[in-house]
Amino acid sequence: MARSAKTFQVTIRNSGQTIACTTDRTILQAAIAAGIDYPYACATGNCATCVSKLEEGKVSLLPHSDAALGKAQLKSGLTLACRARPRSDVTVNWLARAGG
Ligand code: FES
C-alpha cells in the first residue's frame, strides 16, 4: 500500500514550540522526538496522562479506551496526544501539568 505521509505544523501551547509532525506519527511521538517534555505514561490511549485541548485543527485518533477519552470529552475539544495524528496544522495544550 503506497501511502505518502504529509507533514503538518503542530504548535504546543505549553512549551511555545511549533514542530513538524507527519501524518503517520502521533503528536506525542513528534513532540518527544523534538525534545519536548510532553506529559505521557502509557502512550497507548489508556491512561489519559497526555490528554490535551485541541485548540485548533483536526486530528485522526487511533484506537483508545473510552475511560481515557470519552465521547463527551471528545466533543468538548479534548484529545489524546499519544493517539492523535495531525490532519491539518494543529495547536494543542496539554492539561496534565500547569505551565509544563
Ligand atoms: S499517554 Fe496514556 S493515554 Fe496518552
Side-chain angles (χ1 to χ4, degrees):
M1 185 173 77
R3 198 182 62 134
S4 57
K6 284 192 198 162
T7 302
F8 291 114
Q9 299 300 311
V10 174
T11 300
I12 318 280
R13 185 80 77 192
N14 313 70
S15 73
Q17 284 159 284
T18 299
I19 60 173
C21 183
T22 52
T23 50
D24 60 358
R25 297 186 103 181
T26 65
I27 290 171
L28 181 67
Q29 286 170 333
I32 289 170
I36 296 170
D37 186 22
Y38 213 106
Y40 76 100
C42 71
T44 53
N46 289 299
C47 73
T49 304
C50 68
V51 72
S52 302
K53 179 84 177 172
L54 182 61
E55 296 189 342
E56 279 172 50
K58 287 194 171 77
V59 297
S60 61
L61 272 181
L62 297 167
H64 60 276
S65 98
D66 268 7
L69 188 74
K71 289 208 163 47
Q73 290 165 303
L74 256 179
K75 266 201 170 149
S76 72
L78 298 180
T79 196
L80 297 172
C82 74
R83 301 277 84 191
R85 294 171 167 180
R87 293 183 63 83
S88 70
D89 289 346
V90 299
T91 300
V92 293
N93 189 37
W94 74 64
L95 305 184
R97 300 184 235 114

